[in-house]
Amino acid sequence: MKLVVTEKNDAATKIAALLGVKKPKADKVYSTPVYRFEVDGEEWVTIGLRGHILEPDFTPTLIYKKRGGWRGVTAEGEAIPAQLPASLARPPFKKKKPFIEDGVELKAWKMDALPYLIYAPIEKLPKEKEIIRSLKNLAKKADSIVIATDFDREGELIGSDALSCIQEVNPTAPVSRARYSAFTKEEITHAFSNLVELDTNLASAGASRQDIDLIWGAVLTRYLTLVKFAGYGNVRSSGRVQTPTLALIVARERERLAFIPEDYWVIKGAFDAGAAAGPTAGDGELAFTAPHSTARFKDEAAAKAAMAAVSGAASATVAAVEKRTRKQQPPVPFNTTSLMAAASAEGLSPARTMRIAESLYMDGYISYPRVDNTVYPSSLDLAEVVKTISGNPAYAPYCQQLLSAGELHATRGKKETTDHPPIYPTAKATPDDLAPADYKLYNLIARRFLATLSDAAVVEGTKVTLEVGGEHFAAKGDVLVTPGYRAIYPYGMKKDEQLPAMSEGQQIAFNGAECTKKQTEPPARYSQGKLIQEMEKLGLGTKSTRHSIIERLYTVKYIQNDPIEPSQLGMAVCDALDKFAPHITHPQMTAELEEEMDNIAEGRNTKDAVVTNSRNLLSEQLANLLPHSEEVKDALADAVAADAYVGKCPKCGKDLQIRVSQKTRGMFIGCAGWPDCDVTYPLPKGKVESLPDPCPTCGMPQVKVTAFRSKPRTLCIDPNCETNKEPDVVVGECPKCAEAGKKAKLIAQKNPRTLKRFIRCENYDECGVGYPLPQYGAITATDEVCEHCGAPMVIVTTTRGPWKLCPNFSCPGKEIEAEKKAVAKEAKAAAKKAPAKKTAAKKPAAKKTTAKKTTAKKAAAAKTEEPAE
């Protein structure tokens, strides 16, 4: 039996379908899905992992013995050698946490343990025990092993970890590696016909990144959390790449805060090339405006003098007409960074872009999306790809035009690697085949691919210089005369700005000028796309992790909005680290470590040497931070209070702040004077931001709440404010009371203390009948009851329109309806995808599944996303 190990279950399914002569047989080993099929009479089995099945962690304890020195001790009691610097104190210690008589306990978050934590040994622990169990069961019976995880550092490490589990039970089976860039029949067949060896250097590079990120992330996060422990319930996160990335955002914000605007004046004239001087001049079809040739007047007197010179003039002389043509070269192929930047400009965040790209890759629509390469390999049949996607009617005419022009030549970017090709479409897709967001990204990739095979666009630029009273105005216009690649790739394209035809010496109407005072603006904040590009330029993170680093900064509330703005807490964390340990916030250190990891991948350095160097660097920075813990604490406390500020307490006058409940983890508003002042206000679920303006009705502070997939709503924090009150609505009769021969009404109401809405029987204390309601939307009663459970049907009207629902979460009809929808959706998707897969990848139609299987599949995919650094 040949065992094929893939990174995800979806990949195991695809490979089995593409390699097997017959339809693969879906099976399970324990609880893990596997797929059995035959190749040339040999039994093959594919098993999908769930990304990393092992994860690194510190040993929980460090022990020192005179004979043997320091050792890390695992939970099972196994000793692992450790190398700690002689400068760290050795046992015997007094028994005070984190110290024990002969060592240090590392599990407890204690400041004194951090210098030891830096040098603690790291062990690999099972992360997916059930999958490991199934993998070992299959490995015992396997004659040979093929590692078919994604081909990059992360994939090589995942495959290497899987192999280490396999070799525990089958150390003699031959092992090979399949490398592929797309889930197409041709690509997968070629990969399994040209197997190679597992790249241990590449896997070591990935493992070194894992270890270094664990060490830096754990030590810095614990430090920042301990100096201001549990500030409003949040752990203060930091990391090797996260911190210098935050520093970029904070530095830009500091530039904006330090920026002093300067006044300048802009003069714009109104002209009409189709009218002579007169009272109505400037109103015709050939009217246009043109700015003064001095783009910005820094001196108001000079601007006034220019206005005085043209005052009263009714005509202008065309002093010069210049026409120039210029070429716009077609774009280079997409790599991961340029894809995220382009998608960000179209409204898709980098994190969402990568989630969608991964899904498109797994479904066979695009090539592998985590690449640095910007040069198509000579082995890629460009014409065949064009033919494949020409099945989309939107591309068909342009594809035919490209194919009829002869041999195709593609643009080349500056980065050329040999692991994967740039991102390109591998199958035809139309808007009917994909969800709107998925097609939006696919369309961007497909059009970019076609653009890279196209000619340059030609733009004709016209500049007309106009003279009025000795002052000169300059009108400019651009017209696309030869579309070239712009015919298929309109992204970022400016509209034509055509000037009316004019000749030198011609007199045209002048209809006056307008002088406007303006101010210079500070440097723009980073968009997510621009930040990704800056991170790549500085060597921060990798193509696979940059988007998740940004997402992590949003999650821990160090940044907000897009363009990105740092929170007060984010600025305080960055400023504190930069003041006492600047090496942590500067990109040079991280870029140097990235270079060292590249050296590991190329065999010029070892994992142990690079990780040890990284430990020593961190130790130096921590030594600078520890003496200044009180200063860091004060800075973080002030920042947390500033970010959490809502308004003044009506009872004691102290600050009202957004807080997190230690018990429920829910958010609420509380007074900074607690426990002396017990004023609190509830908050609904969603993203909460304070607003500067008080409630116009009662004068209390207001907040902006953005619930999931909903538009922001402005709410007064006082639940008793008239703006928050909702009338009770009778929605029906209680079915349980009716069975008991009683008559009781079911009433929809809102709890002013918790802000939760629900339907409850007026005899609730006896019958206990109640149903939850959506947080937002007007409630309207109907005369209907649910056919499955007897609960009253209600209509909820939101900004998306009215929808009728049964409020009973336990209603059996909900599960029935969910299964029907899931089966119908899968059947529809299979019917739509079948033609595309037959043409491009010859894949079988998707199987119908239940709602539970669909949910499990999504959950599995979500767990395989790259971790933040």
Side-chain angles (χ1 to χ4, degrees):
M1 180 191 80
K2 188 182 290 292
L3 176 60
V4 180
V5 182
T6 68
E7 200 162 314
K8 307 173 185 71
N9 180 57
D10 282 359
T13 310
K14 303 286 183 190
I15 288 173
L18 292 170
L19 290 179
V21 178
K22 296 180 181 178
K23 184 178 179 181
K25 179 184 176 183
D27 195 3
K28 277 192 176 183
V29 175
Y30 300 121
S31 60
T32 307
V34 300
Y35 305 91
R36 303 181 186 274
F37 57 101
E38 283 192 7
V39 177
D40 297 329
E42 182 184 16
E43 183 190 5
W44 287 40
V45 179
T46 58
I47 180 172
L49 309 178
R50 198 172 290 152
H52 291 281
I53 59 173
L54 301 178
E55 61 182 346
D57 200 0
F58 300 107
T59 57
T61 310
L62 275 172
I63 299 293
Y64 180 80
K65 302 290 184 183
K66 287 185 179 180
R67 288 186 180 182
W70 287 101
R71 294 282 187 273
V73 181
T74 68
E76 289 75 29
E78 181 186 350
I80 302 176
Q83 297 293 326
L84 273 71
S87 58
L88 289 177
R90 298 174 181 175
F93 295 128
K94 291 182 179 179
K95 291 184 178 180
K96 181 181 179 182
K97 283 188 177 182
F99 300 110
I100 53 178
E101 187 175 348
D102 58 350
V104 186
E105 289 286 358
L106 301 175
K107 277 189 174 181
W109 285 35
K110 296 292 181 180
M111 196 72 81
D112 291 338
L114 297 185
Y116 295 88
L117 185 67
I118 292 174
Y119 292 97
I122 293 173
E123 58 177 329
K124 281 288 186 78
L125 299 174
K127 182 183 179 183
E128 301 288 348
K129 293 183 179 179
E130 282 300 309
I131 291 178
I132 293 172
R133 181 186 179 205
S134 304
L135 182 65
K136 288 182 175 181
N137 179 283
L138 288 172
K140 290 176 185 177
K141 309 165 191 173
D143 301 314
S144 61
I145 312 293
V146 179
I147 302 298
T149 49
D150 293 343
F151 178 37
D152 56 13
R153 283 184 194 173
E154 206 73 17
E156 210 76 8
L157 175 59
I158 291 168
S160 179
D161 286 347
L163 182 59
S164 68
C165 295
I166 289 169
Q167 290 181 334
E168 288 179 15
V169 296
N170 188 348
T172 59
V175 179
S176 51
R177 177 76 161 98
R179 294 174 177 168
Y180 51 89
S181 297
F183 284 106
T184 63
K185 180 76 173 178
E186 181 183 10
E187 180 83 8
I188 296 299
T189 302
H190 179 269
F192 280 83
S193 301
N194 296 272
L195 297 170
V196 297
E197 291 184 2
L198 192 73
D199 191 334
T200 53
N201 288 334
L202 194 63
S204 291
S208 67
R209 179 188 300 283
Q210 258 195 341
D211 288 0
I212 290 169
D213 288 343
L214 169 66
I215 296 163
W216 282 74
V219 172
L220 292 178
T221 296
R222 290 190 189 193
Y223 172 80
L224 290 172
T225 303
L226 289 168
V227 294
K228 181 68 180 71
F229 187 71
Y232 307 126
N234 292 323
V235 169
R236 305 292 168 225
S237 176
S238 184
R240 178 182 65 87
V241 181
Q242 179 183 308
T243 305
T245 301
L246 175 63
L248 289 176
I249 299 165
V250 171
R252 178 60 58 88
E253 195 67 19
R254 292 290 182 206
E255 286 181 54
R256 290 175 58 84
L257 292 172
F259 180 81
I260 300 173
E262 295 179 0
D263 294 337
Y264 68 93
W265 289 262
V266 174
I267 295 176
K268 186 176 287 187
F271 303 87
D272 192 337
T280 60
D283 297 330
E285 292 183 3
L286 300 182
F288 63 96
T289 60
H292 196 279
S293 57
T294 301
R296 292 183 177 184
F297 287 90
K298 295 186 178 180
D299 181 39
E300 185 178 13
K304 287 182 176 180
M307 287 294 290
V310 302
S311 178
S315 65
T317 302
V318 179
V321 178
E322 300 173 57
K323 287 193 176 184
R324 289 183 182 178
T325 58
R326 64 181 188 274
K327 286 187 175 181
Q328 288 182 351
Q329 296 300 328
V332 300
F334 268 146
N335 64 6
T336 305
T337 300
S338 56
L339 173 64
M340 287 192 285
S344 179
E346 298 303 311
L348 295 174
S349 72
R352 191 180 184 198
T353 295
M354 292 313 296
R355 285 194 289 269
I356 295 173
E358 180 73 15
S359 175
L360 292 174
Y361 164 65
M362 293 305 305
D363 288 338
Y365 287 112
I366 65 170
S367 62
Y368 189 62
R370 303 181 191 276
V371 296
D372 289 320
N373 196 4
T374 55
V375 178
Y376 296 125
S378 56
S379 59
L380 181 62
D381 190 337
L382 300 172
E384 187 59 35
V385 178
V386 174
K387 290 176 186 175
T388 298
I389 64 174
S390 65
N392 184 325
Y395 313 146
Y398 196 85
C399 290
Q400 291 303 318
Q401 181 183 325
L402 284 176
L403 294 170
S404 62
E407 187 178 355
L408 295 172
H409 298 281
T411 57
R412 297 170 62 89
K414 294 180 180 178
K415 291 189 177 182
E416 184 172 10
T417 61
T418 57
D419 51 356
H420 291 286
I423 304 165
Y424 69 94
T426 56
K428 181 208 79 173
T430 68
D432 292 334
D433 299 322
L434 300 169
D438 294 23
Y439 184 75
K440 186 177 188 178
L441 188 65
Y442 172 86
N443 190 40
L444 176 64
I445 292 168
R447 288 178 179 274
R448 178 67 161 239
F449 171 75
L450 294 173
T452 64
L453 308 178
S454 305
D455 295 328
V458 179
V459 177
E460 182 181 78
T462 303
K463 179 182 178 182
V464 178
T465 303
L466 303 156
E467 191 269 329
V468 182
E471 298 293 326
H472 290 86
F473 293 78
K476 294 180 180 180
D478 281 337
V479 178
L480 188 67
V481 292
T482 304
Y485 78 94
R486 281 301 190 185
I488 193 68
Y489 195 76
Y491 302 98
M493 185 175 172
K494 293 181 180 178
K495 291 182 179 180
D496 282 358
E497 295 178 359
Q498 189 164 357
L499 292 173
M502 288 175 277
S503 57
E504 195 169 322
Q506 180 182 346
Q507 294 289 311
I508 65 171
F510 174 66
N511 199 36
E514 182 181 29
C515 182
T516 306
K517 181 181 177 180
K518 294 187 176 182
Q519 284 190 325
T520 53
E521 294 184 354
R525 293 187 175 107
Y526 287 110
S527 66
Q528 291 193 44
K530 290 290 184 185
L531 183 59
I532 288 275
Q533 291 175 310
E534 189 69 15
M535 291 171 72
E536 181 184 45
K537 179 181 173 183
L538 296 172
L540 294 174
T542 68
K543 58 186 179 290
S544 302
T545 60
R546 291 183 186 114
H547 66 282
S548 55
I549 292 162
I550 296 173
E551 192 171 37
R552 175 66 178 163
L553 289 172
Y554 276 109
T555 301
V556 297
K557 298 183 179 179
Y558 287 170
I559 60 175
Q560 57 201 10
N561 306 325
D562 191 12
I564 303 169
E565 180 182 353
S567 64
Q568 291 294 323
L569 177 59
M571 294 181 76
V573 166
C574 191
D575 290 348
L577 293 177
D578 190 54
K579 182 177 180 180
F580 304 116
H583 209 49
I584 294 173
T585 62
H586 292 176
Q588 290 87 344
M589 176 272 296
T590 291
E592 288 166 9
L593 285 173
E594 294 291 345
E595 187 177 344
E596 288 300 318
M597 284 183 268
D598 289 340
N599 290 337
I600 296 172
E602 293 165 12
R604 297 199 301 268
N605 207 338
T606 65
K607 174 193 167 189
D608 288 345
V610 172
V611 173
T612 299
N613 179 47
S614 182
R615 289 182 195 264
N616 292 334
L617 279 172
L618 179 57
S619 181
E620 292 173 10
Q621 300 306 305
L622 183 65
N624 294 332
L625 283 170
L626 288 173
H628 300 284
S629 296
E630 283 300 316
E631 294 170 71
V632 175
K633 173 185 177 180
D634 292 341
L636 296 188
D638 291 343
V640 168
D643 278 337
Y645 178 78
V646 174
K648 293 296 180 183
C649 175
K651 183 176 178 182
C652 70
K654 292 185 178 179
D655 291 350
L656 291 174
Q657 299 168 331
I658 298 173
R659 297 192 170 192
V660 178
S661 168
Q662 297 294 334
K663 290 183 178 180
T664 66
R665 311 305 298 169
M667 298 180 73
F668 69 98
I669 293 173
C671 179
W674 187 87
D676 296 328
C677 180
D678 59 357
V679 170
T680 60
Y681 298 98
L683 280 176
K685 289 183 179 179
K687 178 184 175 183
V688 180
E689 300 170 75
S690 61
L691 294 175
D693 299 325
C695 173
T697 302
C698 70
M700 286 291 288
Q702 295 184 116
V703 292
K704 182 172 74 173
V705 180
T706 308
F708 181 64
R709 289 184 178 176
S710 299
K711 291 183 179 180
R713 302 174 76 246
T714 297
L715 296 175
C716 174
I717 68 167
D718 185 357
N720 294 315
C721 176
E722 289 299 321
T723 60
N724 286 324
K725 291 182 179 179
E726 293 183 12
D728 292 349
V729 178
V730 177
V731 296
E733 300 289 334
C734 176
K736 190 171 182 180
C737 288
E739 288 178 8
K742 298 179 182 178
K743 191 172 183 180
K745 296 175 182 176
L746 290 173
I747 303 172
Q749 51 194 251
K750 180 179 181 180
N751 186 322
R753 186 178 59 83
T754 64
L755 300 184
K756 290 183 178 180
R757 305 198 309 174
F758 49 82
I759 294 172
R760 184 164 288 179
C761 176
E762 58 185 349
N763 192 31
Y764 179 79
D765 291 340
E766 290 185 24
C767 73
V769 172
Y771 310 107
L773 282 172
Q775 191 166 337
Y776 303 120
I779 305 297
T780 307
T782 70
D783 294 329
E784 305 172 41
V785 295
C786 176
E787 60 179 318
H788 300 286
C789 68
M793 300 294 288
V794 295
I795 295 174
V796 180
T797 306
T798 65
T799 54
R800 296 184 180 183
W803 48 292
K804 188 185 292 186
L805 61 84
C806 168
N808 183 8
F809 271 14
S810 303
C811 177
K814 293 187 185 296
E815 188 173 343
I816 295 169
E817 192 63 28
E819 290 201 8
K820 284 181 181 178
K821 286 181 179 179
V823 170
K825 184 178 179 181
E826 291 290 332
K828 186 178 179 181
K832 287 179 179 177
K833 288 184 179 181
K837 293 184 178 180
K838 187 176 180 181
T839 301
K842 297 183 181 178
K843 299 177 184 176
K847 275 180 69 178
K848 292 183 179 181
T849 62
T850 64
K852 291 182 180 179
K853 288 183 181 178
T854 304
T855 305
K857 180 178 174 183
K858 289 180 179 177
K863 285 195 177 182
T864 59
E865 291 176 9
E866 298 290 342
E869 298 182 40

